[in-house]
Coordinates of all heavy atoms in Angstrom, one line a residue:
M1 N 8.5 -8.4 13.6 CA 8.7 -7.1 13.0 C 9.7 -7.2 11.8 O 10.7 -7.7 11.9 CB 9.2 -6.0 13.9 CG 8.1 -5.6 14.9 SD 6.9 -4.6 14.1 CE 7.8 -3.1 13.9
G2 N 9.3 -6.8 10.6 CA 10.2 -6.7 9.5 C 11.0 -5.5 9.5 O 11.0 -4.7 10.4
M3 N 12.0 -5.4 8.5 CA 12.9 -4.3 8.5 C 12.6 -3.5 7.2 O 13.5 -3.1 6.5 CB 14.3 -4.8 8.4 CG 14.7 -5.3 9.8 SD 14.7 -4.1 11.1 CE 16.1 -3.1 10.5
C4 N 11.3 -3.2 6.9 CA 10.9 -2.4 5.8 C 11.6 -1.1 5.9 O 11.4 -0.4 6.9 CB 9.5 -2.3 5.7 SG 8.8 -1.1 4.5
P5 N 12.4 -0.5 5.0 CA 13.0 0.7 5.1 C 12.0 1.9 5.2 O 12.4 3.0 5.7 CB 13.8 0.9 3.8 CG 13.3 -0.2 2.8 CD 12.7 -1.3 3.7
L6 N 10.8 1.8 4.6 CA 9.9 2.8 4.6 C 9.2 2.9 6.0 O 9.0 4.0 6.6 CB 8.8 2.7 3.5 CG 9.0 3.6 2.3 CD1 10.3 3.1 1.6 CD2 7.8 3.5 1.4
C7 N 8.8 1.7 6.5 CA 8.2 1.7 7.9 C 9.2 2.2 8.9 O 8.8 2.8 9.9 CB 7.9 0.3 8.2 SG 6.3 -0.3 7.4
N8 N 10.4 2.0 8.7 CA 11.5 2.3 9.7 C 12.1 3.8 9.5 O 13.0 4.2 10.2 CB 12.6 1.3 9.8 CG 12.1 0.0 10.5 OD1 11.9 -0.1 11.7 ND2 11.8 -1.0 9.6
G9 N 11.6 4.4 8.4 CA 12.1 5.8 8.2 C 13.5 5.8 7.6 O 14.1 6.8 7.5
F10 N 14.0 4.7 7.0 CA 15.4 4.6 6.4 C 15.4 5.2 5.0 O 16.3 5.7 4.5 CB 15.9 3.2 6.4 CG 16.1 2.6 7.8 CD1 16.0 1.2 7.9 CD2 16.4 3.3 8.8 CE1 16.1 0.6 9.1 CE2 16.5 2.7 10.1 CZ 16.4 1.4 10.3
A11 N 14.2 5.1 4.3 CA 14.2 5.5 2.9 C 12.8 6.2 2.6 O 11.8 6.0 3.4 CB 14.3 4.2 2.1
H12 N 12.9 6.9 1.6 CA 11.6 7.6 1.2 C 11.5 7.2 -0.3 O 12.4 7.4 -1.1 CB 11.8 9.1 1.4 CG 10.5 9.8 1.0 ND1 9.4 9.9 1.9 CD2 10.2 10.5 -0.1 CE1 8.5 10.6 1.3 NE2 8.9 11.0 0.1
L13 N 10.3 6.8 -0.7 CA 10.0 6.4 -2.0 C 9.1 7.5 -2.7 O 8.1 7.8 -2.2 CB 9.3 5.1 -2.0 CG 9.0 4.5 -3.5 CD1 10.3 4.2 -4.1 CD2 8.2 3.3 -3.4
N14 N 9.6 7.9 -3.8 CA 8.8 8.9 -4.6 C 8.1 8.2 -5.7 O 8.7 7.8 -6.8 CB 9.7 10.0 -5.2 CG 10.2 11.0 -4.1 OD1 9.3 11.5 -3.3 ND2 11.4 11.4 -4.1
A15 N 6.8 7.9 -5.5 CA 6.0 7.3 -6.6 C 5.3 8.3 -7.4 O 5.0 9.4 -6.9 CB 5.0 6.3 -5.8
V16 N 5.2 8.0 -8.7 CA 4.5 8.9 -9.6 C 3.2 8.3 -10.1 O 3.1 7.1 -10.4 CB 5.4 9.1 -10.8 CG1 4.7 10.0 -11.8 CG2 6.7 9.9 -10.4
C17 N 2.1 9.1 -10.0 CA 0.8 8.6 -10.4 C 0.8 8.2 -11.9 O 1.3 8.9 -12.7 CB -0.2 9.8 -10.2 SG -1.9 9.4 -10.7
Q18 N 0.2 7.1 -12.1 CA 0.1 6.6 -13.5 C -0.9 7.3 -14.3 O -0.9 7.3 -15.6 CB -0.2 5.1 -13.5 CG 0.8 4.2 -12.9 CD 0.4 2.8 -12.8 OE1 -0.7 2.3 -13.2 NE2 1.2 1.8 -12.2
E19 N -1.8 8.0 -13.6 CA -2.9 8.7 -14.3 C -2.5 10.1 -14.7 O -2.8 10.6 -15.8 CB -4.2 8.7 -13.4 CG -4.7 7.4 -13.1 CD -5.3 6.7 -14.3 OE1 -6.0 7.4 -15.0 OE2 -5.1 5.4 -14.5
C20 N -1.9 10.9 -13.8 CA -1.7 12.3 -14.1 C -0.2 12.7 -13.8 O 0.1 13.9 -14.0 CB -2.7 13.1 -13.2 SG -2.3 13.1 -11.4
E21 N 0.6 11.7 -13.4 CA 2.1 12.0 -13.2 C 2.4 13.0 -12.1 O 3.4 13.5 -12.1 CB 2.7 12.4 -14.5 CG 2.6 11.4 -15.6 CD 3.3 11.7 -16.9 OE1 3.8 12.9 -17.0 OE2 3.5 10.8 -17.7
S22 N 1.4 13.1 -11.2 CA 1.7 13.9 -10.0 C 2.4 12.9 -8.9 O 2.5 11.7 -9.1 CB 0.3 14.5 -9.3 OG -0.2 15.3 -10.3
T23 N 2.9 13.6 -7.9 CA 3.5 12.8 -6.9 C 2.6 12.2 -6.0 O 1.5 12.7 -5.6 CB 4.4 13.8 -6.0 OG1 5.4 14.5 -6.8 CG2 5.2 13.0 -4.9
M24 N 2.8 10.8 -5.6 CA 1.9 10.1 -4.9 C 2.4 10.1 -3.4 O 3.6 10.0 -3.2 CB 1.7 8.6 -5.3 CG 1.1 8.7 -6.8 SD 1.0 7.0 -7.4 CE -0.5 6.5 -6.6
E25 N 1.5 10.1 -2.5 CA 1.9 10.2 -1.0 C 1.8 8.8 -0.5 O 0.8 8.0 -0.7 CB 0.9 11.1 -0.3 CG 0.9 12.6 -0.7 CD -0.1 13.4 0.1 OE1 -0.9 12.8 0.9 OE2 -0.2 14.6 -0.2
N26 N 2.8 8.5 0.4 CA 2.7 7.2 1.1 C 1.7 7.3 2.2 O 1.7 8.1 3.1 CB 4.2 7.1 1.7 CG 4.3 5.7 2.5 OD1 3.4 4.9 2.5 ND2 5.4 5.5 3.1
K27 N 0.7 6.4 2.2 CA -0.4 6.4 3.1 C 0.0 5.4 4.2 O -0.9 5.2 5.0 CB -1.6 6.0 2.4 CG -2.1 7.1 1.4 CD -2.5 8.4 2.1 CE -3.2 9.3 1.1 NZ -3.5 10.6 1.8
G28 N 1.1 4.8 4.2 CA 1.4 3.8 5.2 C 1.2 2.4 4.8 O 1.0 2.2 3.6
R29 N 1.4 1.5 5.7 CA 1.3 0.1 5.5 C -0.2 -0.3 5.0 O -1.1 0.2 5.6 CB 1.7 -0.8 6.6 CG 3.1 -0.7 6.9 CD 3.5 -1.8 7.8 NE 3.4 -3.1 7.2 CZ 4.1 -4.2 7.7 NH1 4.9 -4.0 8.6 NH2 3.9 -5.4 7.1
E30 N -0.2 -1.1 4.0 CA -1.5 -1.5 3.5 C -2.4 -2.1 4.7 O -3.6 -1.9 4.7 CB -1.3 -2.6 2.4 CG -2.6 -3.0 1.7 CD -3.2 -2.0 0.8 OE1 -2.5 -1.1 0.4 OE2 -4.4 -2.2 0.4
A31 N -1.8 -3.0 5.4 CA -2.5 -3.7 6.5 C -3.2 -2.7 7.4 O -4.3 -2.9 7.8 CB -1.6 -4.7 7.2
E32 N -2.4 -1.7 7.8 CA -3.0 -0.7 8.7 C -4.1 0.0 8.1 O -5.1 0.4 8.8 CB -1.9 0.3 9.1 CG -0.9 -0.4 10.1 CD 0.3 0.5 10.3 OE1 0.3 1.6 9.8 OE2 1.3 0.1 11.0
Y33 N -4.0 0.3 6.8 CA -5.0 1.0 6.2 C -6.3 0.2 6.1 O -7.4 0.7 6.4 CB -4.6 1.3 4.7 CG -5.4 2.2 3.9 CD1 -5.4 3.6 4.0 CD2 -6.4 1.7 3.0 CE1 -6.2 4.4 3.3 CE2 -7.2 2.5 2.3 CZ -7.1 3.9 2.4 OH -7.9 4.7 1.7
Y34 N -6.2 -1.1 5.8 CA -7.4 -1.9 5.8 C -8.0 -2.1 7.1 O -9.2 -2.2 7.3 CB -7.0 -3.4 5.3 CG -6.8 -3.5 3.8 CD1 -6.1 -4.6 3.2 CD2 -7.4 -2.4 3.0 CE1 -6.2 -4.6 1.8 CE2 -7.3 -2.6 1.6 CZ -6.7 -3.7 1.0 OH -6.6 -3.8 -0.3
D35 N -7.2 -2.0 8.3 CA -7.8 -2.1 9.6 C -8.8 -1.1 9.8 O -9.8 -1.2 10.4 CB -6.7 -2.0 10.7 CG -5.9 -3.3 10.8 OD1 -6.5 -4.4 10.3 OD2 -4.9 -3.3 11.3
D36 N -8.5 0.2 9.2 CA -9.5 1.2 9.4 C -10.7 1.2 8.6 O -11.8 1.6 8.9 CB -8.8 2.6 9.2 CG -7.7 2.9 10.3 OD1 -7.9 2.3 11.3 OD2 -6.8 3.7 10.0
Y37 N -10.5 0.7 7.4 CA -11.6 0.8 6.4 C -12.0 -0.5 5.9 O -13.0 -0.6 5.0 CB -10.9 1.6 5.1 CG -10.6 2.9 5.4 CD1 -9.3 3.3 5.8 CD2 -11.5 3.9 5.3 CE1 -9.0 4.5 6.0 CE2 -11.2 5.2 5.6 CZ -10.0 5.5 6.0 OH -9.6 6.9 6.3
S38 N -11.7 -1.7 6.4 CA -12.1 -2.9 5.9 C -13.6 -3.2 5.9 O -14.1 -3.9 5.0 CB -11.4 -4.2 6.7 OG -11.5 -3.9 8.1
P39 N -14.3 -2.6 6.9 CA -15.8 -2.9 6.9 C -16.4 -2.3 5.6 O -17.5 -2.8 5.1 CB -16.3 -2.1 8.1 CG -15.1 -1.9 8.9 CD -14.0 -1.8 8.0
Y40 N -15.8 -1.4 4.9 CA -16.4 -0.8 3.7 C -15.7 -1.3 2.4 O -15.9 -0.7 1.3 CB -16.2 0.8 3.8 CG -16.8 1.3 5.1 CD1 -15.9 1.6 6.1 CD2 -18.2 1.3 5.3 CE1 -16.4 2.1 7.3 CE2 -18.7 1.7 6.6 CZ -17.8 2.1 7.5 OH -18.3 2.5 8.7
M41 N -14.8 -2.2 2.6 CA -14.0 -2.7 1.4 C -14.8 -3.5 0.4 O -15.5 -4.4 0.7 CB -12.8 -3.4 1.9 CG -11.5 -2.9 1.4 SD -10.1 -3.7 2.2 CE -10.5 -5.4 2.2
P42 N -14.7 -3.2 -0.9 CA -15.3 -4.1 -1.9 C -14.6 -5.5 -1.9 O -13.6 -5.6 -1.4 CB -14.9 -3.3 -3.2 CG -14.5 -2.0 -2.9 CD -13.9 -2.0 -1.5
I43 N -15.5 -6.4 -2.3 CA -15.1 -7.8 -2.3 C -13.8 -8.0 -3.1 O -12.9 -8.8 -2.7 CB -16.2 -8.7 -2.8 CG1 -17.4 -8.7 -1.8 CG2 -15.7 -10.1 -3.0 CD1 -18.6 -9.3 -2.3
D44 N -13.6 -7.4 -4.3 CA -12.5 -7.5 -5.0 C -11.2 -7.2 -4.3 O -10.2 -7.8 -4.5 CB -12.5 -6.6 -6.3 CG -13.4 -7.3 -7.3 OD1 -13.9 -8.4 -7.2 OD2 -13.6 -6.6 -8.4
E45 N -11.3 -6.2 -3.5 CA -10.0 -5.8 -2.8 C -9.8 -6.7 -1.6 O -8.7 -6.9 -1.2 CB -10.2 -4.4 -2.2 CG -10.1 -3.4 -3.4 CD -10.1 -1.9 -2.9 OE1 -10.2 -1.7 -1.7 OE2 -9.9 -1.0 -3.7
M46 N -10.9 -7.4 -1.1 CA -10.7 -8.4 0.0 C -9.9 -9.5 -0.6 O -8.9 -10.0 0.0 CB -12.0 -8.9 0.4 CG -12.8 -7.9 1.3 SD -12.0 -7.7 2.9 CE -12.5 -9.1 3.7
K47 N -10.1 -9.9 -1.9 CA -9.4 -11.0 -2.5 C -7.9 -10.6 -2.7 O -7.0 -11.4 -2.4 CB -10.0 -11.3 -3.9 CG -11.3 -12.0 -3.9 CD -11.9 -12.2 -5.2 CE -13.2 -12.8 -5.2 NZ -13.9 -12.7 -6.5
L48 N -7.6 -9.3 -3.0 CA -6.3 -8.9 -3.1 C -5.6 -8.9 -1.8 O -4.4 -9.3 -1.8 CB -6.3 -7.4 -3.5 CG -6.4 -7.1 -5.0 CD1 -6.5 -5.6 -5.3 CD2 -5.3 -7.7 -5.8
E49 N -6.3 -8.7 -0.7 CA -5.6 -8.7 0.6 C -5.2 -10.2 0.9 O -4.1 -10.3 1.5 CB -6.6 -8.1 1.6 CG -6.0 -8.0 3.0 CD -6.9 -7.5 4.0 OE1 -8.1 -7.9 4.0 OE2 -6.4 -6.8 4.9
D50 N -6.0 -11.1 0.5 CA -5.6 -12.5 0.8 C -4.3 -12.7 0.0 O -3.4 -13.5 0.5 CB -6.7 -13.5 0.2 CG -7.9 -13.4 1.2 OD1 -7.8 -13.0 2.3 OD2 -8.9 -13.8 0.7
G51 N -4.2 -12.2 -1.2 CA -2.9 -12.4 -1.9 C -1.7 -11.8 -1.3 O -0.7 -12.4 -1.4
Y52 N -1.9 -10.8 -0.5 CA -0.8 -10.1 0.2 C -0.1 -11.0 1.2 O 1.0 -10.8 1.7 CB -1.2 -8.8 0.8 CG -1.5 -7.7 -0.2 CD1 -2.5 -6.9 0.0 CD2 -0.8 -7.7 -1.5 CE1 -2.8 -5.9 -1.0 CE2 -1.1 -6.7 -2.4 CZ -2.1 -5.8 -2.2 OH -2.4 -4.9 -3.1
L53 N -1.0 -11.9 1.7 CA -0.4 -12.8 2.8 C 0.7 -13.5 2.3 O 1.8 -13.7 3.0 CB -1.5 -13.8 3.2 CG -2.7 -13.2 4.0 CD1 -3.7 -14.2 4.3 CD2 -2.2 -12.5 5.3
N54 N 0.8 -14.0 1.1 CA 1.9 -14.6 0.4 C 3.2 -13.7 0.5 O 4.3 -14.0 0.7 CB 1.7 -15.1 -1.0 CG 0.6 -16.3 -1.0 OD1 0.6 -16.9 -0.1 ND2 -0.2 -16.3 -2.0
N55 N 2.9 -12.4 0.2 CA 3.9 -11.4 0.1 C 4.6 -11.2 1.5 O 5.8 -11.0 1.7 CB 3.4 -10.1 -0.5 CG 3.1 -10.2 -1.9 OD1 1.9 -10.2 -2.3 ND2 4.0 -10.4 -2.8
Y56 N 3.7 -11.2 2.5 CA 4.3 -11.1 3.9 C 5.3 -12.3 4.1 O 6.4 -12.0 4.7 CB 3.2 -11.2 5.0 CG 2.4 -10.0 5.1 CD1 1.0 -10.0 4.9 CD2 3.0 -8.7 5.3 CE1 0.3 -8.8 5.1 CE2 2.3 -7.5 5.5 CZ 0.9 -7.7 5.3 OH 0.2 -6.5 5.4
E57 N 5.0 -13.5 3.7 CA 5.9 -14.6 3.9 C 7.2 -14.4 3.1 O 8.2 -14.9 3.5 CB 5.2 -15.8 3.5 CG 4.1 -16.3 4.5 CD 3.2 -17.5 3.9 OE1 3.7 -18.1 2.8 OE2 2.3 -17.8 4.6
N58 N 7.1 -13.6 2.0 CA 8.3 -13.3 1.2 C 9.1 -12.1 1.7 O 10.1 -11.7 1.2 CB 7.9 -13.1 -0.3 CG 7.4 -14.3 -0.9 OD1 7.7 -15.4 -0.6 ND2 6.6 -14.1 -2.0
G59 N 8.6 -11.6 2.8 CA 9.4 -10.5 3.5 C 9.1 -9.2 2.8 O 10.0 -8.3 2.8
E60 N 8.0 -9.0 2.1 CA 7.7 -7.7 1.5 C 6.5 -7.0 2.2 O 5.7 -7.6 2.7 CB 7.3 -8.0 0.0 CG 8.4 -8.6 -0.9 CD 8.0 -8.8 -2.3 OE1 6.8 -9.2 -2.5 OE2 8.8 -8.5 -3.2
C61 N 6.7 -5.7 2.2 CA 5.8 -4.9 3.0 C 5.0 -4.0 2.0 O 5.5 -3.3 1.2 CB 6.6 -4.0 3.9 SG 5.6 -3.0 4.9
P62 N 3.6 -4.2 2.0 CA 2.7 -3.5 1.1 C 2.5 -2.1 1.6 O 2.0 -2.0 2.7 CB 1.5 -4.4 1.0 CG 1.5 -5.1 2.3 CD 2.9 -5.2 2.8
H63 N 2.8 -1.1 0.8 CA 2.6 0.3 1.1 C 1.6 0.9 0.1 O 1.6 0.7 -1.0 CB 3.9 1.1 1.1 CG 4.6 1.0 2.3 ND1 4.6 1.9 3.3 CD2 5.4 0.0 2.7 CE1 5.5 1.6 4.3 NE2 5.9 0.4 4.0
L64 N 0.7 1.6 0.7 CA -0.4 2.2 -0.1 C 0.0 3.6 -0.5 O 0.4 4.4 0.4 CB -1.7 2.3 0.6 CG -2.9 2.7 -0.2 CD1 -3.4 1.8 -1.2 CD2 -4.1 3.1 0.7
F65 N 0.1 3.9 -1.8 CA 0.4 5.3 -2.3 C -0.8 5.9 -3.0 O -1.5 5.1 -3.7 CB 1.5 5.2 -3.2 CG 2.9 5.1 -2.6 CD1 3.3 3.9 -2.1 CD2 3.7 6.1 -2.4 CE1 4.6 3.7 -1.4 CE2 5.0 6.0 -1.7 CZ 5.4 4.8 -1.3
Q66 N -1.1 7.0 -2.6 CA -2.3 7.8 -3.2 C -1.9 9.1 -3.8 O -1.1 9.8 -3.2 CB -3.5 8.0 -2.2 CG -4.7 8.5 -2.8 CD -5.9 8.4 -1.9 OE1 -5.8 8.5 -0.7 NE2 -7.0 8.2 -2.5
C67 N -2.5 9.3 -5.0 CA -2.1 10.6 -5.7 C -2.8 11.7 -5.0 O -4.0 11.7 -4.7 CB -2.6 10.5 -7.1 SG -2.4 11.9 -8.1
S68 N -2.1 12.8 -4.8 CA -2.7 14.0 -4.1 C -3.5 14.7 -5.1 O -4.3 15.6 -4.6 CB -1.6 14.9 -3.5 OG -0.7 15.2 -4.6
Q69 N -3.4 14.5 -6.3 CA -4.2 15.3 -7.3 C -5.5 14.7 -7.7 O -6.5 15.3 -7.7 CB -3.3 15.6 -8.6 CG -2.1 16.5 -8.3 CD -2.5 17.8 -7.8 OE1 -3.4 18.5 -8.4 NE2 -1.8 18.2 -6.8
C70 N -5.4 13.4 -8.1 CA -6.6 12.7 -8.7 C -7.2 11.6 -7.8 O -8.2 11.1 -8.1 CB -6.3 12.2 -10.1 SG -5.3 10.7 -10.1
G71 N -6.4 11.3 -6.8 CA -7.0 10.2 -5.8 C -6.6 8.8 -6.2 O -7.0 7.9 -5.5
Y72 N -6.0 8.7 -7.4 CA -5.6 7.3 -7.8 C -4.7 6.7 -6.8 O -3.8 7.4 -6.3 CB -4.9 7.4 -9.2 CG -4.3 6.1 -9.7 CD1 -5.1 5.2 -10.4 CD2 -3.0 5.7 -9.5 CE1 -4.7 4.1 -10.9 CE2 -2.5 4.5 -10.0 CZ -3.3 3.7 -10.6 OH -2.8 2.5 -11.1
Y73 N -4.9 5.4 -6.5 CA -4.0 4.8 -5.6 C -3.5 3.4 -6.0 O -4.2 2.8 -6.8 CB -4.6 4.6 -4.2 CG -5.8 3.7 -4.1 CD1 -5.6 2.3 -3.8 CD2 -7.0 4.1 -4.3 CE1 -6.5 1.5 -3.6 CE2 -8.1 3.2 -4.2 CZ -7.8 1.9 -3.9 OH -8.9 1.0 -3.7
Q74 N -2.3 3.1 -5.5 CA -1.8 1.8 -5.8 C -0.9 1.3 -4.6 O -0.4 2.1 -3.9 CB -1.0 1.8 -7.2 CG 0.6 2.2 -7.0 CD 1.2 2.2 -8.3 OE1 1.6 3.2 -8.8 NE2 1.6 1.1 -8.8
V75 N -0.8 0.0 -4.6 CA 0.0 -0.6 -3.6 C 1.4 -1.0 -4.2 O 1.5 -1.6 -5.2 CB -0.7 -1.9 -3.0 CG1 0.3 -2.6 -2.0 CG2 -2.0 -1.5 -2.4
I76 N 2.4 -0.7 -3.5 CA 3.8 -0.9 -3.9 C 4.4 -1.8 -2.9 O 4.4 -1.5 -1.7 CB 4.6 0.4 -4.1 CG1 3.9 1.2 -5.1 CG2 6.1 0.0 -4.5 CD1 4.6 2.5 -5.4
M77 N 4.9 -2.9 -3.3 CA 5.5 -3.9 -2.5 C 7.1 -3.5 -2.1 O 7.8 -3.3 -3.0 CB 5.6 -5.3 -3.0 CG 4.2 -5.9 -3.4 SD 3.0 -5.8 -2.0 CE 3.8 -6.9 -0.9
I78 N 7.3 -3.2 -0.8 CA 8.7 -2.9 -0.5 C 9.4 -4.1 0.1 O 8.9 -4.7 1.1 CB 8.6 -1.7 0.6 CG1 7.7 -0.7 0.2 CG2 10.0 -1.3 1.0 CD1 8.1 0.1 -1.0
K79 N 10.6 -4.4 -0.4 CA 11.3 -5.5 0.1 C 11.9 -5.2 1.4 O 12.7 -4.3 1.5 CB 12.4 -5.8 -1.0 CG 13.0 -7.2 -0.8 CD 12.1 -8.3 -1.4 CE 12.8 -9.6 -1.3 NZ 11.9 -10.7 -1.4
E80 N 11.7 -6.0 2.4 CA 12.2 -5.8 3.8 C 13.6 -6.3 3.9 O 14.0 -7.2 3.2 CB 11.3 -6.5 4.8 CG 9.9 -5.8 4.8 CD 9.0 -6.4 5.8 OE1 9.4 -7.4 6.5 OE2 8.0 -5.9 6.1
Ligands
LIG101 ZN1 6.7 -1.1 5.2
LIG102 ZN1 -3.0 11.3 -10.2

């Protein structure tokens, strides 16, 4: 188990949507999100997921943030 401040509730990150500048919501850890939706994932995102394995080794925790207004999402790496 890592010590990601977001996973452990120590910190709250306010991310701003690059598209419409609305507040983005923390959807949780990227890995957990993929567990639910991976059967429907596009191939390009599968490749991205492989890349995240390196980040896990670096002690970074990928969090998925999604805009509540336009649905734009991005993954932000949280240093554990
Ligand atoms: Zn985390
Ligand atoms: Zn947006």
Side-chain angles (χ1 to χ4, degrees):
M1 287 288 286
M3 288 296 290
C4 170
L6 261 63
C7 285
N8 289 282
F10 298 151
H12 185 77
L13 182 67
N14 286 317
V16 176
C17 177
Q18 293 177 5
E19 297 292 318
C20 69
E21 299 186 347
S22 295
T23 303
M24 298 179 81
E25 296 175 358
N26 181 5
K27 294 294 188 180
R29 288 193 69 155
E30 182 76 16
E32 290 171 1
Y33 188 81
Y34 278 166
D35 282 346
D36 290 340
Y37 294 94
S38 53
Y40 310 102
M41 235 168 48
I43 290 168
D44 279 356
E45 290 189 352
M46 290 292 284
K47 288 177 186 167
L48 276 178
E49 189 178 32
D50 287 340
Y52 290 144
L53 291 176
N54 292 330
N55 294 110
Y56 282 125
E57 290 173 2
N58 291 339
E60 290 181 325
C61 181
H63 278 258
L64 185 72
F65 283 78
Q66 185 164 33
C67 177
S68 55
Q69 294 300 312
C70 73
Y72 175 86
Y73 68 91
Q74 83 179 109
V75 174
I76 299 177
M77 304 305 298
I78 309 297
K79 196 78 177 164
E80 292 183 355

